[in-house]
DNA sequence: CTAAGTGCAAAATGTTTGCATACTT
DNA sequence: AAGTATGCAAACATTTTGCACTTAG
């Protein structure tokens, strides 16, 4: 879909700098904009979106849709570590917004089930389980 | 949030007529508009959205967010009889965009598993499995 | 008559796109 | 020089909202 990046621009550099300084956390496109501006290297949002989209294609970044009216949530996955791990799943708490990483072999079974019984090849990278996390449930 | 409907308008009637004629199916706001227009009783989209929102509050209709760029998906759940209760899941094909509506008890097990082993209360209403559907896989 | 519902068009919002300009190699 | 990337502003698409008008009770 998207060509890989070929040029090393300062915009992409600040973006990567951002990603590496807040690993594992989720962020929005405008978070990136603000950070870059505060770093003295402002980036237009089109560029942010374009770079992020490309990184999603490259598997370096994940994109989650929290709800229709909120901005999309991105997440940096250091060096494609998550891609190779087939037993990695994500749970997003609808209340506190926390993103939980699960490495659970049992969940791998659902992929197999969907495949065998429903002819559906699950993409665990893209799939997010929504619900309420332990902490929020107790409130 | 929203008061229950008090007046019986012809717009609401056509809408209900629509719902009862395509139960179990997913539909969008504009689907409703088209149907009503074709029935000779066109409804403005604001009204459709307002009525649907109310019905969601009333629990007569479910609303799903499939992805950020597609219109929201609604589903009629015949009065109290929650067809789409716990064993209803959705799969979205990343290739053709088709939404597959699954009623699978086996999948209910994952909710239980998440609950017991990970303290996570799954919201099946919100969760969408992404992947490739049978037809697209064969291409 | 009053409260509720409707419809239009305009607003809101996050994301995408067209295009001229600037930068990388 | 040639191919990419950027930035702005305009375009998009869906949903919401303001407001005057209509309708149900």
């Amino acid at each position: 879909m998207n060509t890989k990046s070929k040029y090393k621009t300062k915009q992409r550099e600040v973006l990567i700098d951002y990603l590496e300084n807040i690993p594992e956390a989720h962020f929005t496109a405008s978070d990136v904009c603000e950070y870059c501006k505060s770093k003295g290297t402002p980036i237009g949002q089109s560029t942010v979106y374009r770079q992020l989209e490309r990184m999603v294609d490259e598997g370096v970044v994940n994109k989650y849709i929290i709800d229709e009216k909120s901005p999309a949530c991105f997440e940096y996955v250091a060096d494609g570590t998550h891609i190779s791990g087939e037993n990695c799943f994500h749970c997003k708490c609808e209340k506190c917004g926390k993103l939980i990483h699960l490495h659970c072999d049992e969940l791998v079974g659902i992929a197999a089930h969907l495949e065998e019984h429903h002819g559906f090849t699950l993409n665990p990278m893209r799939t997010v389980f929504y619900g309420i996390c332990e902490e929020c449930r107790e409130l």
Side-chain angles (χ1 to χ4, degrees), chain A:
Chain A
M1 251 135 232
N2 237 314
T3 34
K4 293 216 163 190
S5 58
K6 300 184 173 175
Y7 289 178
K8 194 184 72 181
T9 64
K10 63 175 180 301
Q11 287 86 347
R12 190 175 168 93
E13 249 168 45
V14 205
L15 179 38
I16 288 171
D17 168 51
Y18 175 76
L19 295 179
E20 286 179 338
N21 283 328
I22 51 132
E24 291 291 342
H26 46 273
F27 58 91
T28 64
S30 67
D31 288 342
V32 176
C33 283
E34 280 176 35
Y35 175 86
C36 295
K37 192 154 57 183
S38 80
K39 273 284 183 175
T41 313
I43 312 186
Q45 11 88 283
S46 351
T47 302
V48 172
Y49 280 110
R50 281 190 275 232
Q51 287 288 358
L52 285 175
E53 185 192 358
R54 178 175 312 176
M55 288 171 168
V56 169
D57 283 351
E58 292 170 359
V60 182
V61 159
N62 288 339
K63 181 181 184 179
Y64 301 107
I65 298 144
I66 307 313
D67 69 63
E68 58 189 349
K69 296 273 95 177
S70 336
C73 227
F74 297 89
E75 172 197 34
Y76 179 51
V77 285
D79 245 356
T81 315
H82 288 66
I83 308 166
S84 39
E86 292 170 353
N87 64 339
C88 181
F89 293 87
H90 299 89
C91 295
K92 178 88 181 173
C93 179
E94 299 185 87
K95 215 163 180 180
C96 67
K98 191 169 53 191
L99 188 64
I100 300 156
H101 292 261
L102 287 186
H103 290 274
C104 175
D105 289 329
E106 189 144 340
L107 288 180
V108 178
I110 71 166
H113 174 80
L114 285 170
E115 185 93 42
E116 285 169 34
H117 296 268
H118 305 282
F120 190 81
T121 308
L122 185 67
N123 177 357
M125 273 299 293
R126 175 104 187 265
T127 301
V128 180
F129 296 93
Y130 290 94
I132 308 295
C133 77
E134 204 156 17
E135 290 160 28
C136 289
R137 188 173 38 172
E138 285 161 7
L139 299 183

